[in-house]
mmCIF file with all atom_site columns, all heavy atoms in Angstrom:
data_model
loop_
_atom_site.group_PDB
_atom_site.id
_atom_site.type_symbol
_atom_site.label_atom_id
_atom_site.label_alt_id
_atom_site.label_comp_id
_atom_site.label_asym_id
_atom_site.label_entity_id
_atom_site.label_seq_id
_atom_site.pdbx_PDB_ins_code
_atom_site.Cartn_x
_atom_site.Cartn_y
_atom_site.Cartn_z
_atom_site.occupancy
_atom_site.B_iso_or_equiv
_atom_site.pdbx_formal_charge
_atom_site.auth_seq_id
_atom_site.auth_comp_id
_atom_site.auth_asym_id
_atom_site.auth_atom_id
_atom_site.pdbx_PDB_model_num
ATOM 1  N N   . SER A 1 98  ? 34.832 30.975 -32.257 1.00 34.00 ? 1001 SER A N   1
ATOM 2  C CA  . SER A 1 98  ? 34.517 30.820 -30.842 1.00 34.00 ? 1001 SER A CA  1
ATOM 3  C C   . SER A 1 98  ? 33.222 30.065 -30.616 1.00 34.00 ? 1001 SER A C   1
ATOM 4  O O   . SER A 1 98  ? 32.920 29.634 -29.516 1.00 34.00 ? 1001 SER A O   1
ATOM 5  C CB  . SER A 1 98  ? 34.406 32.194 -30.174 1.00 34.00 ? 1001 SER A CB  1
ATOM 6  O OG  . SER A 1 98  ? 33.376 32.958 -30.800 1.00 34.00 ? 1001 SER A OG  1
ATOM 7  N N   . ASP A 1 109 ? 22.232 23.657 -19.840 1.00 40.00 ? 1012 ASP A N   1
ATOM 8  C CA  . ASP A 1 109 ? 22.262 22.343 -19.228 1.00 40.00 ? 1012 ASP A CA  1
ATOM 9  C C   . ASP A 1 109 ? 22.109 21.291 -20.311 1.00 40.00 ? 1012 ASP A C   1
ATOM 10 O O   . ASP A 1 109 ? 21.012 20.821 -20.582 1.00 40.00 ? 1012 ASP A O   1
ATOM 11 C CB  . ASP A 1 109 ? 21.135 22.225 -18.200 1.00 40.00 ? 1012 ASP A CB  1
ATOM 12 C CG  . ASP A 1 109 ? 21.208 20.906 -17.450 1.00 40.00 ? 1012 ASP A CG  1
ATOM 13 O OD1 . ASP A 1 109 ? 22.277 20.282 -17.432 1.00 40.00 ? 1012 ASP A OD1 1
ATOM 14 O OD2 . ASP A 1 109 ? 20.186 20.500 -16.912 1.00 40.00 ? 1012 ASP A OD2 1
ATOM 15 N N   . PHE A 1 160 ? 1.383  -0.451 -9.156  1.00 96.00 ? 1063 PHE A N   1
ATOM 16 C CA  . PHE A 1 160 ? 2.081  -0.800 -7.914  1.00 96.00 ? 1063 PHE A CA  1
ATOM 17 C C   . PHE A 1 160 ? 3.450  -0.132 -7.966  1.00 96.00 ? 1063 PHE A C   1
ATOM 18 O O   . PHE A 1 160 ? 4.251  -0.409 -8.856  1.00 96.00 ? 1063 PHE A O   1
ATOM 19 C CB  . PHE A 1 160 ? 2.239  -2.313 -7.768  1.00 96.00 ? 1063 PHE A CB  1
ATOM 20 C CG  . PHE A 1 160 ? 2.715  -2.714 -6.403  1.00 96.00 ? 1063 PHE A CG  1
ATOM 21 C CD1 . PHE A 1 160 ? 1.808  -3.052 -5.409  1.00 96.00 ? 1063 PHE A CD1 1
ATOM 22 C CD2 . PHE A 1 160 ? 4.066  -2.715 -6.097  1.00 96.00 ? 1063 PHE A CD2 1
ATOM 23 C CE1 . PHE A 1 160 ? 2.235  -3.398 -4.136  1.00 96.00 ? 1063 PHE A CE1 1
ATOM 24 C CE2 . PHE A 1 160 ? 4.504  -3.052 -4.835  1.00 96.00 ? 1063 PHE A CE2 1
ATOM 25 C CZ  . PHE A 1 160 ? 3.589  -3.401 -3.850  1.00 96.00 ? 1063 PHE A CZ  1
ATOM 26 N N   . ILE A 1 189 ? 12.438 -1.590 0.459   1.00 80.00 ? 1092 ILE A N   1
ATOM 27 C CA  . ILE A 1 189 ? 12.446 -2.126 -0.900  1.00 80.00 ? 1092 ILE A CA  1
ATOM 28 C C   . ILE A 1 189 ? 12.410 -3.648 -0.924  1.00 80.00 ? 1092 ILE A C   1
ATOM 29 O O   . ILE A 1 189 ? 12.661 -4.265 -1.950  1.00 80.00 ? 1092 ILE A O   1
ATOM 30 C CB  . ILE A 1 189 ? 13.660 -1.624 -1.710  1.00 80.00 ? 1092 ILE A CB  1
ATOM 31 C CG1 . ILE A 1 189 ? 14.977 -2.072 -1.073  1.00 80.00 ? 1092 ILE A CG1 1
ATOM 32 C CG2 . ILE A 1 189 ? 13.612 -0.119 -1.865  1.00 80.00 ? 1092 ILE A CG2 1
ATOM 33 C CD1 . ILE A 1 189 ? 16.197 -1.797 -1.930  1.00 80.00 ? 1092 ILE A CD1 1
ATOM 34 N N   . ARG A 1 312 ? 21.593 8.583  -12.531 1.00 87.00 ? 1215 ARG A N   1
ATOM 35 C CA  . ARG A 1 312 ? 21.265 9.059  -11.174 1.00 87.00 ? 1215 ARG A CA  1
ATOM 36 C C   . ARG A 1 312 ? 21.464 10.557 -11.035 1.00 87.00 ? 1215 ARG A C   1
ATOM 37 O O   . ARG A 1 312 ? 20.612 11.263 -10.484 1.00 87.00 ? 1215 ARG A O   1
ATOM 38 C CB  . ARG A 1 312 ? 22.129 8.339  -10.128 1.00 87.00 ? 1215 ARG A CB  1
ATOM 39 C CG  . ARG A 1 312 ? 21.830 6.874  -9.985  1.00 87.00 ? 1215 ARG A CG  1
ATOM 40 C CD  . ARG A 1 312 ? 22.380 6.302  -8.681  1.00 87.00 ? 1215 ARG A CD  1
ATOM 41 N NE  . ARG A 1 312 ? 23.793 6.537  -8.497  1.00 87.00 ? 1215 ARG A NE  1
ATOM 42 C CZ  . ARG A 1 312 ? 24.758 5.793  -9.021  1.00 87.00 ? 1215 ARG A CZ  1
ATOM 43 N NH1 . ARG A 1 312 ? 24.446 4.781  -9.800  1.00 87.00 ? 1215 ARG A NH1 1
ATOM 44 N NH2 . ARG A 1 312 ? 26.025 6.056  -8.779  1.00 87.00 ? 1215 ARG A NH2 1
ATOM 45 N N   . CYS A 1 337 ? -0.710 36.853 -2.480  1.00 62.00 ? 1240 CYS A N   1
ATOM 46 C CA  . CYS A 1 337 ? -1.760 36.670 -1.479  1.00 62.00 ? 1240 CYS A CA  1
ATOM 47 C C   . CYS A 1 337 ? -1.552 37.595 -0.280  1.00 62.00 ? 1240 CYS A C   1
ATOM 48 O O   . CYS A 1 337 ? -2.509 38.040 0.349   1.00 62.00 ? 1240 CYS A O   1
ATOM 49 C CB  . CYS A 1 337 ? -1.797 35.221 -1.013  1.00 62.00 ? 1240 CYS A CB  1
ATOM 50 S SG  . CYS A 1 337 ? -2.340 34.058 -2.289  1.00 62.00 ? 1240 CYS A SG  1
#
Side-chain angles (χ1 to χ4, degrees):
S1001 60
D1012 185 20
F1063 191 93
I1092 62 171
R1215 293 197 305 277
C1240 292

